[in-house]
Amino acid sequence: MSDRSSPEPAGASLVDDRAAVGAEETDEAEVEFLHTPSPSILCPVCHDVCREPVITNGCNHSYCASCIYHSLEIEPFCPLCRSRIKIEDLHPNLALSGLISELLVYCSNKKYGCPQILRQDALHGHVLYCSYAPSVCPNKSLGCPYKGTMRDAKEHLQNCVYERFKGYIDSTNKRFEKLESLLAEQSREVEKLQRIIRAGKSIVYANEISASGPASSLSTREDGAQHGESSSLSSGTKRTVVSTFPHDEITCHRTIASHPCGVTSVAVNQDRVFAGAHDGSTKVFDINTGELLKDSKGHTMSVWGLAVMPSGDRYFSAGSDGTIKVWDWLKEGDEACLVKSIPDHNAKVYGLVVDQGRLYSASSDKTIKVWDTETLECLATFQGHTGGVNSLAALTDASSRQLVTGSSDKTIKLWDVTTGTCLKTVRRGTSEVLDVAVGDGMLFGSTYDAVIHVYDLNETRELGTLSGHNWEVWQLEYGQGHLFSASFDHTIKRWDPRRFQCDLTLKGHKSFVHGMALAENCLVTGCADRTIKIWR
C-alpha cells in the first residue's frame, strides 16, 4: 500500500509512509522460496516472511517494520502479548534479517525458463542481468508484437520486419505529428473564435439595454472576473466581462498562506474554500478575499479527505487517525461546531464524497462505507478490494447511482450504490491506483508510475494514457472537457483527454501538491509548502 510522503508534525512521519512503496515491494511479493520458510521467521501480523524485520525492546517479538508501524497507529500494544509499546521501542532485528537474506529462492524469471537458485540477498543483482527476463522488441512503439526473453530478442531483431522499415515509419510518424499539431492549433483558434462570438452576443445585448453610448469591445480582467459580471463605462454603457475558465490561459489569482504546516486536502463550495492540514486542523476561507473565517482542530493526524454539503453549512473531514468528523462550521466555538466524531473505519480514511444525501468514505482498511448525511447512520459497507482504497468519485450524471473507487490492489471498481454490488473491475497490472475521476463518458485513473489512464466508462476499455508528470499524480479533477492533474512534482497540468495532450502546466507551488478542487470558475490547490492557491 502506498502512502503520501511530506513533512508531518513530530512523531507522525515515522508512520505515514504512503510514498515509500514502489517497485521493490512488487519484486519482494513475487519471491518464490526453494523450501517452505520456517514459522519462526514469519511476521505474526501479515503471516509472510518478515520484510525489514524489527524487534521490540520489552517483549522481544519481531515483525515487519511496515506491519508493526501500521498496527501502532491503531493501538499502542504488541499484537502478540498485548504489552504497551511505542515506536521508540522498535529496533532493527539484524540477526533475523541475516537469516532471511540467506534463504534460497528461485529466480523471478523461473516461469520463463531460468533454472537459477540463489540466496535472497543476491536475487536483485541476478534479475538485473538475467537472460531469461521478459523482453519486447525495441520496435514495439512502431507496432512489432514480439514478446520473448532477452536472450532471444537479439536474434529476433535481425529478422524483424519493423527494423527494416524503421526509417520510413519514423519519417511518416513525424509527418503525422506535424499534421496533428497543426490541427490542434487550428482547433484552439476555432474554440477561441467561438468564445469571442458568444461573448460578443452578450455584449450586444448589454448595449441594447443601456441608456446610451457607443458599443464597447470585448475585454477581460486579469484579476479573474467571473462570468456574467458587468461594469459601467464612463459613457454609461454596460460592459459584460466574460470568464473563459478553464479553457484559455490560467494564472494564480490568489495565494493563501495561513497554515503553519502542509495543506493536505481542499474542497470548494460557492465562495468558500475548505482546507485540511498535517496538524489535524480544518480551516474555512473566503475565496475572494483570502480571509480566514473558521479554524477548527479535531483530528490528531493529517486530514486527507474533505467533503461539503451543497448548502455549504456542513462539511465532513477524515484522515490518518481513522475517524470521520462532522462540522457545522457556522456555529461558534469548536465544541459547538463538531457535530459528531465517527470512528467506524479501522485505518486511515483517504477519500470523502457527498452525493444525493449520502456520504461515501474510502479507507486503507479496504472498505467503502455509505452514510446518511442527516442521521449520520452507516447504511452500508462495500467490500471487494484486497488493498487500501485510495480514492473515490461519484457518477452524478449516471442513470443509476454509481461510484468509482481506486485501490492499492491495482484495480479500479465501479459500484452500484443502490445494491452495493461491484459492476465492473479494471485491473491496472503493476501499479497502484492513486486517484480516479469521471466525466463525459470517460473514466480516468492515475497510477503510482506517474501515468494517467483513460478508459471508456461504459466498456471499461482503455483508450490511451496521459504522460508528462515526473512523480506520482495524487489528484485528478474533470470538468468542462478538461482534466486537471496535481502531482508530487510540484505542478498541476491541464489535459485535453480526447487528443491525449497536455495543453497547460501550472507552476508556483514549491512542494508536493496534496489537494485539488475544481469549481465552475476557478481551480483550488493545496500544497505541502503550506499554501493554498486560487487559479483562474
Side-chain angles (χ1 to χ4, degrees):
M1 155 93 198
S2 297
D3 215 334
R4 303 174 191 240
S5 174
S6 62
E8 288 257 4
S13 61
L14 290 176
V15 294
D16 194 12
D17 58 350
R18 187 167 179 175
V21 179
E24 292 183 3
E25 181 172 308
T26 302
D27 292 341
E28 291 179 4
E30 297 174 352
V31 170
E32 181 181 352
F33 292 93
L34 179 63
H35 305 292
T36 302
S38 168
S40 62
I41 64 174
L42 302 184
C43 172
V45 176
C46 67
H47 303 291
D48 200 355
V49 174
C50 284
R51 291 179 293 182
E52 299 181 8
V54 296
I55 188 170
T56 62
N57 268 347
C59 55
N60 295 321
H61 289 135
S62 295
Y63 302 90
C64 297
S66 60
C67 290
I68 190 62
Y69 286 158
H70 288 158
S71 177
L72 291 180
E73 284 194 87
I74 307 302
E75 55 180 2
F77 301 104
C78 173
L80 281 179
C81 66
R82 310 302 294 169
S83 299
R84 181 175 289 274
I85 58 175
K86 300 178 293 185
I87 291 180
E88 291 78 9
D89 297 328
L90 303 176
H91 298 282
N93 190 336
L94 300 181
L96 180 57
S97 180
L99 289 174
I100 294 173
S101 69
E102 294 175 358
L103 294 177
L104 296 179
V105 299
Y106 291 103
C107 172
S108 303
N109 299 313
K110 175 188 174 185
K111 58 184 177 182
Y112 301 113
C114 182
Q116 286 293 328
I117 298 174
L118 59 162
R119 286 171 40 137
Q120 187 177 13
D121 56 2
L123 178 62
H124 179 70
H126 166 76
V127 169
L128 288 176
Y129 302 100
C130 179
S131 60
Y132 289 89
S135 176
V136 296
C137 178
N139 298 315
K140 179 185 177 182
S141 60
L142 302 180
C144 181
Y146 169 81
K147 292 182 179 179
T149 61
M150 292 181 64
R151 63 185 299 176
D152 300 327
K154 185 175 181 180
E155 180 181 351
H156 159 78
L157 194 60
Q158 294 175 353
N159 302 311
C160 179
V161 175
Y162 291 87
E163 181 69 16
R164 301 175 190 173
F165 293 95
K166 185 174 183 179
Y168 173 75
I169 295 174
D170 283 341
S171 63
T172 303
N173 285 341
K174 289 179 181 178
R175 290 170 59 194
F176 276 121
E177 288 175 1
K178 289 181 180 179
L179 289 174
E180 289 173 352
S181 177
L182 179 61
L183 285 173
E185 183 178 351
Q186 291 176 344
S187 296
R188 286 194 293 270
E189 289 297 322
V190 170
E191 291 175 0
K192 184 180 294 185
L193 290 172
Q194 288 174 339
R195 287 194 297 271
I196 293 174
I197 291 171
R198 290 194 296 267
K201 291 179 180 179
S202 300
I203 293 173
V204 169
Y205 175 74
N207 288 331
E208 288 176 350
I209 64 173
S210 64
S212 61
S216 60
S217 59
L218 175 66
S219 64
T220 57
R221 291 198 325 211
E222 292 183 356
D223 61 355
Q226 299 181 13
H227 179 75
E229 185 178 347
S230 62
S231 59
S232 297
L233 297 174
S234 58
S235 61
T237 301
K238 288 190 175 181
R239 178 179 63 187
T240 300
V241 181
V242 181
S243 169
T244 58
F245 181 88
H247 308 293
D248 279 343
E249 290 298 317
I250 299 174
T251 58
C252 180
H253 172 73
R254 183 179 304 280
T255 297
I256 302 173
S258 299
H259 282 86
C261 60
V263 180
T264 51
S265 53
V266 293
V268 181
N269 181 274
Q270 300 175 20
D271 56 351
R272 300 288 184 261
V273 174
F274 300 78
H278 271 313
D279 60 4
S281 68
T282 56
K283 292 179 170 59
V284 185
F285 299 91
D286 186 300
I287 198 170
N288 297 312
T289 65
E291 177 187 0
L292 177 62
L293 304 177
K294 194 72 177 182
D295 187 355
S296 302
K297 182 68 181 293
H299 292 279
T300 58
M301 300 178 72
S302 304
V303 179
W304 295 114
L306 284 174
V308 188
M309 292 286 287
S311 60
D313 57 351
R314 169 172 290 187
Y315 71 92
F316 306 87
S317 61
S320 294
D321 60 9
T323 65
I324 301 172
K325 296 191 183 293
V326 187
W327 305 87
D328 286 347
W329 72 275
L330 294 176
K331 296 180 179 179
E332 294 293 334
D334 280 356
E335 293 185 2
C337 288
L338 183 58
V339 178
K340 189 174 182 179
S341 183
I342 307 173
D344 288 31
H345 278 293
N346 297 321
K348 302 173 185 178
V349 180
Y350 284 123
L352 295 176
V353 168
V354 169
D355 183 52
Q356 301 183 50
R358 297 290 183 264
L359 172 70
Y360 303 93
S361 56
S363 170
S364 57
D365 65 8
K366 308 176 187 178
T367 68
I368 304 100
K369 290 185 180 291
V370 186
W371 314 82
D372 187 295
T373 56
E374 294 299 326
T375 65
L376 304 180
E377 174 189 2
C378 183
L379 304 177
T381 299
F382 299 166
Q383 295 180 324
H385 282 296
T386 58
V389 186
N390 298 323
S391 56
L392 71 173
L395 275 68
T396 55
D397 57 350
S399 56
S400 60
R401 298 172 67 176
Q402 296 178 355
L403 192 74
V404 174
T405 55
S407 169
S408 289
D409 64 9
K410 303 165 188 174
T411 68
I412 300 172
K413 290 183 180 290
L414 178 66
W415 306 83
D416 185 313
V417 173
T418 305
T419 63
T421 56
C422 178
L423 303 175
K424 298 176 182 178
T425 298
V426 180
R427 304 191 182 280
R428 271 309 324 140
T430 59
S431 293
E432 304 172 32
V433 181
L434 306 182
D435 198 14
V436 291
V438 290
D440 292 341
M442 291 178 287
L443 166 63
F444 307 92
S446 62
T447 49
Y448 199 87
D449 54 7
V451 175
I452 303 168
H453 301 265
V454 186
Y455 304 89
D456 181 287
L457 182 59
N458 296 321
E459 301 177 4
T460 59
R461 171 175 54 88
E462 185 164 7
L463 303 175
T465 58
L466 306 174
S467 299
H469 282 292
N470 297 321
W471 293 356
E472 312 95 277
V473 179
W474 285 99
Q475 295 291 318
L476 295 176
E477 290 284 346
Y478 184 85
Q480 301 185 52
H482 294 283
L483 178 72
F484 289 87
S485 59
S487 169
F488 273 17
D489 66 8
H490 309 178
T491 69
I492 303 99
K493 291 184 180 291
R494 185 181 68 188
W495 306 85
D496 183 336
R498 288 178 173 81
R499 298 190 182 97
F500 300 98
Q501 291 179 345
C502 172
D503 54 23
L504 184 66
T505 298
L506 303 179
K507 298 180 180 180
H509 282 302
K510 300 178 181 179
S511 189
F512 304 152
V513 184
H514 283 303
M516 181 170 64
L518 180 62
E520 182 179 353
N521 60 356
C522 69
L523 180 73
V524 179
T525 54
C527 181
D529 64 8
R530 308 180 183 183
T531 67
I532 300 169
K533 290 186 180 292
I534 316 296
W535 307 84
R536 285 177 174 164

